[in-house]
Amino acid sequence: MAVMNAAFDPGYGEAWNEAQTVSMLTLPGTWLSLASCDGTPAGFALVRQVADEAELLLLAVAPAHRRTGVALALIAHTRRLLRDRNGATLHLEVRYNNPAIELYKRAGFVQIGRRPGYYHGIDGQVHDALTLSCSV
Ligand SMILES: CC(C)(COP(=O)(O)OP(=O)(O)OC[C@H]1O[C@@H](n2cnc3c(N)ncnc32)[C@H](O)[C@@H]1OP(=O)(O)O)[C@@H](O)C(=O)NCCC(=O)NCCS
């Protein structure tokens, strides 16, 4: 939760609280991979798999550990886990103006859809989501 609370811009209300996160982790096919640097939690990926499809529900890296390849390592790790679990495709939704899109493109994701007004900011503004996908 320390990484969660440090990583997401509070203006967009995208961070999950502890109850939401724990509740997701009780669902079958859901896991969280935690990246650590020198014993300190640096980032995590929260993933849910159903049959051969998976969704990257959340990906976050603490500001102090950014631009050092932690997110790319988490995505590569997620792909390896999915291959071991007979996964074929990894999807995600990302706010259309989130710089993370550059990361996802670099990791090989392509846009397959757009969801108008998917995210609701705490200022009442709505933002489209892009649906991205890659094969694992
Ligand atoms: C997006 C996020 C996960 C990236 O984590 P990171 O560990 O810094 O990413 P990496 O170091 O693995 O980045 C690899 C490459 O992706 C691209 N990239 C990553 N962050 C970027 C940014 N903010 N702007 C532009 N390109 C970016 C770059 O090509 C980068 O390579 P470079 O550093 O050599 O230029 C992190 O900034 C974050 O936690 N953001 C807030 C939460 C969020 O929006 N998550 C995504 C939606 S769930």
Side-chain angles (χ1 to χ4, degrees):
M1 290 312 294
V3 174
M4 179 89 77
N5 293 329
F8 287 92
D9 180 341
Y12 294 108
E14 291 170 346
W16 294 15
N17 64 32
E18 190 167 342
Q20 289 170 313
T21 310
V22 168
S23 150
M24 177 57 75
L25 283 167
T26 63
L27 297 179
T30 306
W31 69 85
L32 186 142
S33 298
L34 182 66
S36 298
C37 293
D38 298 327
T40 305
F44 67 83
L46 180 63
V47 181
R48 180 155 193 227
Q49 181 179 6
V50 177
D52 66 349
E53 306 235 335
E55 184 173 6
L56 182 54
L57 298 165
L58 288 175
L59 177 69
V61 174
H65 297 283
R66 286 190 186 159
R67 304 307 283 263
T68 61
V70 173
L72 277 178
L74 282 164
I75 292 170
H77 173 76
T78 298
R79 281 176 140 147
R80 278 196 301 276
L81 286 181
L82 284 168
R83 282 197 294 273
D84 290 346
R85 298 170 190 211
N86 299 315
T89 315
L90 180 60
H91 305 284
L92 61 88
E93 247 105 39
V94 60
R95 181 171 27 83
Y96 80 98
N97 55 357
N98 188 331
I101 290 167
E102 291 306 315
L103 162 77
Y104 293 132
K105 280 188 195 158
R106 175 134 172 222
F109 285 82
V110 293
Q111 185 181 340
I112 58 163
R114 185 173 183 120
R115 298 187 169 187
Y118 185 81
Y119 292 104
H120 294 254
I122 58 170
D123 59 0
Q125 284 208 353
V126 294
H127 304 277
D128 292 359
L130 306 186
T131 306
L132 309 184
S133 180
C134 73
S135 64
V136 302

